[in-house]
Amino acid sequence: MNSAKELLIILISSSLVSNVVLSQFLGLCPFLGVSKKVETAAGMGAAIIFVITLASAIAGVIYNFILLPLDVTYLQTIVFILVIAALVQFVEMVLKKFMVGLYEALGVYLPLITTNCAVLGVALTNVQKNYGILTGIVNGFATAVGFSISIIILAGIREKIEYNDVPKPFKGMPIVLITAGLMAIAFCGFSGLL
C-alpha cells in the first residue's frame, strides 16, 4: 500500500525534478514542434496528460493481470504501443468532433503522440520500477504534468522571442534549442526539493 507521502514524492519528482523533457530528453518532437503558441502548447499538454495517465492505468492493469500471470512479459513493449495507439486514436476522434480548432492547430503532432517516446517511456518506467497500478497512474499523471509545464513555458518564451532582436544565425530553431537548454539548467534547481 502506498502512503500519501510516497505518492507526493513521486508527484514532485516526476513532474519537476526528473522532468521527462528537460532531464530525460523524451518527447522532444512535440516539445519543439508545438511550442510556437501557448494555446496549442496547452492543448498538446492536455492531450498528453490524458493519454499518459490513461495509458499508465491501462498498461498497469494489462501488465499485472495479463502479462505477468501468463508469463509473457516480453510482449510488454508491443502491448503498450498498441494501447497508446488506441488511446491516441480516441483522443484524435474526440478533438476532431468537439474541438476542431485545436485539432487543426495540433496538426501532424497529434498522431505523433502515438510514437512519442515519453508516453511509452512512462509505461516502461512503471514496469521497471515495479510500481503498482495506483503508483503508476500517479507517476504517469505527474510526468504528463511536467511535460505540460515545460511545453507551456517554452511556448510563452517563444512568443516573447518573436518580438526581440535575435542575431541572424540564432533565428528560428537555434534560439529555441538554446532556450530549451537554459530551461533544462533551470529545472536542475528543483533537484534540491527531494
PDB file of all heavy atoms in Angstrom, residues 59-78:
ATOM      1  N   ALA A  59      -2.011   0.181 -19.096  1.00  0.00           N
ATOM      2  CA  ALA A  59      -0.800  -0.639 -19.199  1.00  0.00           C
ATOM      3  C   ALA A  59      -0.510  -1.351 -17.881  1.00  0.00           C
ATOM      4  O   ALA A  59      -0.095  -2.514 -17.878  1.00  0.00           O
ATOM      5  CB  ALA A  59       0.386   0.231 -19.611  1.00  0.00           C
ATOM      6  N   GLY A  60      -0.749  -0.674 -16.753  1.00  0.00           N
ATOM      7  CA  GLY A  60      -0.542  -1.306 -15.451  1.00  0.00           C
ATOM      8  C   GLY A  60      -1.474  -2.479 -15.236  1.00  0.00           C
ATOM      9  O   GLY A  60      -1.057  -3.545 -14.749  1.00  0.00           O
ATOM     10  N   VAL A  61      -2.728  -2.305 -15.601  1.00  0.00           N
ATOM     11  CA  VAL A  61      -3.700  -3.385 -15.450  1.00  0.00           C
ATOM     12  C   VAL A  61      -3.333  -4.554 -16.364  1.00  0.00           C
ATOM     13  O   VAL A  61      -3.324  -5.719 -15.936  1.00  0.00           O
ATOM     14  CB  VAL A  61      -5.132  -2.875 -15.746  1.00  0.00           C
ATOM     15  CG1 VAL A  61      -6.110  -4.021 -15.885  1.00  0.00           C
ATOM     16  CG2 VAL A  61      -5.585  -1.911 -14.664  1.00  0.00           C
ATOM     17  N   ILE A  62      -3.026  -4.266 -17.614  1.00  0.00           N
ATOM     18  CA  ILE A  62      -2.672  -5.341 -18.559  1.00  0.00           C
ATOM     19  C   ILE A  62      -1.417  -6.066 -18.100  1.00  0.00           C
ATOM     20  O   ILE A  62      -1.349  -7.301 -18.139  1.00  0.00           O
ATOM     21  CB  ILE A  62      -2.509  -4.769 -19.987  1.00  0.00           C
ATOM     22  CG1 ILE A  62      -3.874  -4.356 -20.535  1.00  0.00           C
ATOM     23  CG2 ILE A  62      -1.834  -5.776 -20.907  1.00  0.00           C
ATOM     24  CD1 ILE A  62      -3.804  -3.633 -21.864  1.00  0.00           C
ATOM     25  N   TYR A  63      -0.412  -5.307 -17.656  1.00  0.00           N
ATOM     26  CA  TYR A  63       0.844  -5.937 -17.235  1.00  0.00           C
ATOM     27  C   TYR A  63       0.629  -6.817 -16.004  1.00  0.00           C
ATOM     28  O   TYR A  63       1.085  -7.960 -15.978  1.00  0.00           O
ATOM     29  CB  TYR A  63       1.893  -4.863 -16.945  1.00  0.00           C
ATOM     30  CG  TYR A  63       3.236  -5.444 -16.583  1.00  0.00           C
ATOM     31  CD1 TYR A  63       4.098  -5.909 -17.574  1.00  0.00           C
ATOM     32  CD2 TYR A  63       3.641  -5.562 -15.262  1.00  0.00           C
ATOM     33  CE1 TYR A  63       5.330  -6.465 -17.261  1.00  0.00           C
ATOM     34  CE2 TYR A  63       4.868  -6.117 -14.936  1.00  0.00           C
ATOM     35  CZ  TYR A  63       5.707  -6.564 -15.941  1.00  0.00           C
ATOM     36  OH  TYR A  63       6.919  -7.127 -15.619  1.00  0.00           O
ATOM     37  N   ASN A  64      -0.065  -6.287 -14.980  1.00  0.00           N
ATOM     38  CA  ASN A  64      -0.215  -7.017 -13.715  1.00  0.00           C
ATOM     39  C   ASN A  64      -1.207  -8.170 -13.787  1.00  0.00           C
ATOM     40  O   ASN A  64      -1.037  -9.172 -13.092  1.00  0.00           O
ATOM     41  CB  ASN A  64      -0.615  -6.058 -12.587  1.00  0.00           C
ATOM     42  CG  ASN A  64       0.527  -5.163 -12.184  1.00  0.00           C
ATOM     43  OD1 ASN A  64       1.642  -5.624 -11.996  1.00  0.00           O
ATOM     44  ND2 ASN A  64       0.264  -3.881 -12.061  1.00  0.00           N
ATOM     45  N   PHE A  65      -2.243  -8.033 -14.625  1.00  0.00           N
ATOM     46  CA  PHE A  65      -3.291  -9.051 -14.625  1.00  0.00           C
ATOM     47  C   PHE A  65      -3.290  -9.969 -15.849  1.00  0.00           C
ATOM     48  O   PHE A  65      -3.992 -10.979 -15.857  1.00  0.00           O
ATOM     49  CB  PHE A  65      -4.667  -8.403 -14.471  1.00  0.00           C
ATOM     50  CG  PHE A  65      -4.846  -7.735 -13.135  1.00  0.00           C
ATOM     51  CD1 PHE A  65      -4.918  -6.354 -13.042  1.00  0.00           C
ATOM     52  CD2 PHE A  65      -4.899  -8.485 -11.967  1.00  0.00           C
ATOM     53  CE1 PHE A  65      -5.070  -5.735 -11.807  1.00  0.00           C
ATOM     54  CE2 PHE A  65      -5.049  -7.879 -10.741  1.00  0.00           C
ATOM     55  CZ  PHE A  65      -5.138  -6.493 -10.651  1.00  0.00           C
ATOM     56  N   ILE A  66      -2.521  -9.626 -16.876  1.00  0.00           N
ATOM     57  CA  ILE A  66      -2.483 -10.491 -18.056  1.00  0.00           C
ATOM     58  C   ILE A  66      -1.053 -10.957 -18.353  1.00  0.00           C
ATOM     59  O   ILE A  66      -0.789 -12.160 -18.408  1.00  0.00           O
ATOM     60  CB  ILE A  66      -3.093  -9.779 -19.295  1.00  0.00           C
ATOM     61  CG1 ILE A  66      -4.572  -9.463 -19.041  1.00  0.00           C
ATOM     62  CG2 ILE A  66      -2.921 -10.636 -20.543  1.00  0.00           C
ATOM     63  CD1 ILE A  66      -5.235  -8.641 -20.122  1.00  0.00           C
ATOM     64  N   LEU A  67      -0.143 -10.001 -18.536  1.00  0.00           N
ATOM     65  CA  LEU A  67       1.213 -10.375 -18.957  1.00  0.00           C
ATOM     66  C   LEU A  67       1.983 -11.139 -17.879  1.00  0.00           C
ATOM     67  O   LEU A  67       2.648 -12.130 -18.186  1.00  0.00           O
ATOM     68  CB  LEU A  67       1.995  -9.133 -19.386  1.00  0.00           C
ATOM     69  CG  LEU A  67       1.437  -8.364 -20.585  1.00  0.00           C
ATOM     70  CD1 LEU A  67       2.298  -7.156 -20.891  1.00  0.00           C
ATOM     71  CD2 LEU A  67       1.326  -9.255 -21.805  1.00  0.00           C
ATOM     72  N   LEU A  68       1.911 -10.676 -16.637  1.00  0.00           N
ATOM     73  CA  LEU A  68       2.624 -11.369 -15.553  1.00  0.00           C
ATOM     74  C   LEU A  68       2.068 -12.773 -15.288  1.00  0.00           C
ATOM     75  O   LEU A  68       2.840 -13.730 -15.253  1.00  0.00           O
ATOM     76  CB  LEU A  68       2.584 -10.541 -14.271  1.00  0.00           C
ATOM     77  CG  LEU A  68       3.717  -9.540 -14.070  1.00  0.00           C
ATOM     78  CD1 LEU A  68       3.531  -8.765 -12.771  1.00  0.00           C
ATOM     79  CD2 LEU A  68       5.060 -10.203 -14.086  1.00  0.00           C
ATOM     80  N   PRO A  69       0.749 -12.927 -15.103  1.00  0.00           N
ATOM     81  CA  PRO A  69       0.238 -14.280 -14.838  1.00  0.00           C
ATOM     82  C   PRO A  69       0.494 -15.269 -15.981  1.00  0.00           C
ATOM     83  O   PRO A  69       0.720 -16.451 -15.741  1.00  0.00           O
ATOM     84  CB  PRO A  69      -1.268 -14.069 -14.635  1.00  0.00           C
ATOM     85  CG  PRO A  69      -1.413 -12.663 -14.247  1.00  0.00           C
ATOM     86  CD  PRO A  69      -0.317 -11.927 -14.945  1.00  0.00           C
ATOM     87  N   LEU A  70       0.461 -14.787 -17.210  1.00  0.00           N
ATOM     88  CA  LEU A  70       0.701 -15.676 -18.351  1.00  0.00           C
ATOM     89  C   LEU A  70       2.189 -15.825 -18.671  1.00  0.00           C
ATOM     90  O   LEU A  70       2.544 -16.555 -19.601  1.00  0.00           O
ATOM     91  CB  LEU A  70      -0.035 -15.155 -19.590  1.00  0.00           C
ATOM     92  CG  LEU A  70      -1.561 -15.152 -19.512  1.00  0.00           C
ATOM     93  CD1 LEU A  70      -2.159 -14.515 -20.762  1.00  0.00           C
ATOM     94  CD2 LEU A  70      -2.087 -16.557 -19.312  1.00  0.00           C
ATOM     95  N   ASP A  71       3.035 -15.113 -17.939  1.00  0.00           N
ATOM     96  CA  ASP A  71       4.488 -15.140 -18.122  1.00  0.00           C
ATOM     97  C   ASP A  71       4.878 -14.786 -19.557  1.00  0.00           C
ATOM     98  O   ASP A  71       5.708 -15.445 -20.187  1.00  0.00           O
ATOM     99  CB  ASP A  71       5.058 -16.507 -17.724  1.00  0.00           C
ATOM    100  CG  ASP A  71       6.564 -16.453 -17.528  1.00  0.00           C
ATOM    101  OD1 ASP A  71       7.075 -15.384 -17.130  1.00  0.00           O
ATOM    102  OD2 ASP A  71       7.232 -17.470 -17.789  1.00  0.00           O
ATOM    103  N   VAL A  72       4.262 -13.729 -20.069  1.00  0.00           N
ATOM    104  CA  VAL A  72       4.591 -13.211 -21.406  1.00  0.00           C
ATOM    105  C   VAL A  72       4.995 -11.736 -21.312  1.00  0.00           C
ATOM    106  O   VAL A  72       4.612 -10.923 -22.151  1.00  0.00           O
ATOM    107  CB  VAL A  72       3.426 -13.411 -22.401  1.00  0.00           C
ATOM    108  CG1 VAL A  72       3.239 -14.869 -22.748  1.00  0.00           C
ATOM    109  CG2 VAL A  72       2.144 -12.802 -21.878  1.00  0.00           C
ATOM    110  N   THR A  73       5.792 -11.422 -20.302  1.00  0.00           N
ATOM    111  CA  THR A  73       6.196 -10.024 -20.101  1.00  0.00           C
ATOM    112  C   THR A  73       7.084  -9.514 -21.226  1.00  0.00           C
ATOM    113  O   THR A  73       7.233  -8.301 -21.374  1.00  0.00           O
ATOM    114  CB  THR A  73       6.923  -9.854 -18.756  1.00  0.00           C
ATOM    115  OG1 THR A  73       8.022 -10.757 -18.707  1.00  0.00           O
ATOM    116  CG2 THR A  73       5.983 -10.115 -17.601  1.00  0.00           C
ATOM    117  N   TYR A  74       7.642 -10.413 -22.021  1.00  0.00           N
ATOM    118  CA  TYR A  74       8.461  -9.989 -23.154  1.00  0.00           C
ATOM    119  C   TYR A  74       7.624  -9.262 -24.210  1.00  0.00           C
ATOM    120  O   TYR A  74       8.161  -8.593 -25.080  1.00  0.00           O
ATOM    121  CB  TYR A  74       9.197 -11.179 -23.782  1.00  0.00           C
ATOM    122  CG  TYR A  74       8.302 -12.306 -24.223  1.00  0.00           C
ATOM    123  CD1 TYR A  74       7.740 -12.321 -25.495  1.00  0.00           C
ATOM    124  CD2 TYR A  74       8.008 -13.364 -23.362  1.00  0.00           C
ATOM    125  CE1 TYR A  74       6.911 -13.349 -25.900  1.00  0.00           C
ATOM    126  CE2 TYR A  74       7.187 -14.395 -23.761  1.00  0.00           C
ATOM    127  CZ  TYR A  74       6.640 -14.383 -25.024  1.00  0.00           C
ATOM    128  OH  TYR A  74       5.819 -15.403 -25.426  1.00  0.00           O
ATOM    129  N   LEU A  75       6.303  -9.374 -24.138  1.00  0.00           N
ATOM    130  CA  LEU A  75       5.413  -8.693 -25.075  1.00  0.00           C
ATOM    131  C   LEU A  75       5.015  -7.287 -24.606  1.00  0.00           C
ATOM    132  O   LEU A  75       4.244  -6.620 -25.281  1.00  0.00           O
ATOM    133  CB  LEU A  75       4.135  -9.520 -25.272  1.00  0.00           C
ATOM    134  CG  LEU A  75       4.287 -10.869 -25.958  1.00  0.00           C
ATOM    135  CD1 LEU A  75       2.963 -11.609 -25.945  1.00  0.00           C
ATOM    136  CD2 LEU A  75       4.783 -10.680 -27.375  1.00  0.00           C
ATOM    137  N   GLN A  76       5.561  -6.839 -23.472  1.00  0.00           N
ATOM    138  CA  GLN A  76       5.107  -5.585 -22.884  1.00  0.00           C
ATOM    139  C   GLN A  76       5.251  -4.397 -23.824  1.00  0.00           C
ATOM    140  O   GLN A  76       4.330  -3.575 -23.917  1.00  0.00           O
ATOM    141  CB  GLN A  76       5.832  -5.310 -21.575  1.00  0.00           C
ATOM    142  CG  GLN A  76       7.309  -4.984 -21.717  1.00  0.00           C
ATOM    143  CD  GLN A  76       8.015  -4.898 -20.389  1.00  0.00           C
ATOM    144  OE1 GLN A  76       7.473  -5.286 -19.370  1.00  0.00           O
ATOM    145  NE2 GLN A  76       9.231  -4.404 -20.413  1.00  0.00           N
ATOM    146  N   THR A  77       6.345  -4.277 -24.538  1.00  0.00           N
ATOM    147  CA  THR A  77       6.540  -3.118 -25.407  1.00  0.00           C
ATOM    148  C   THR A  77       5.503  -3.085 -26.519  1.00  0.00           C
ATOM    149  O   THR A  77       4.908  -2.045 -26.791  1.00  0.00           O
ATOM    150  CB  THR A  77       7.962  -3.116 -26.001  1.00  0.00           C
ATOM    151  OG1 THR A  77       8.908  -3.176 -24.931  1.00  0.00           O
ATOM    152  CG2 THR A  77       8.210  -1.872 -26.828  1.00  0.00           C
ATOM    153  N   ILE A  78       5.259  -4.214 -27.143  1.00  0.00           N
ATOM    154  CA  ILE A  78       4.273  -4.281 -28.226  1.00  0.00           C
ATOM    155  C   ILE A  78       2.878  -3.973 -27.699  1.00  0.00           C
ATOM    156  O   ILE A  78       2.125  -3.205 -28.300  1.00  0.00           O
ATOM    157  CB  ILE A  78       4.303  -5.672 -28.894  1.00  0.00           C
ATOM    158  CG1 ILE A  78       5.645  -5.887 -29.578  1.00  0.00           C
ATOM    159  CG2 ILE A  78       3.165  -5.838 -29.881  1.00  0.00           C
ATOM    160  CD1 ILE A  78       5.893  -7.296 -30.035  1.00  0.00           C
TER     161      ILE A  78
END
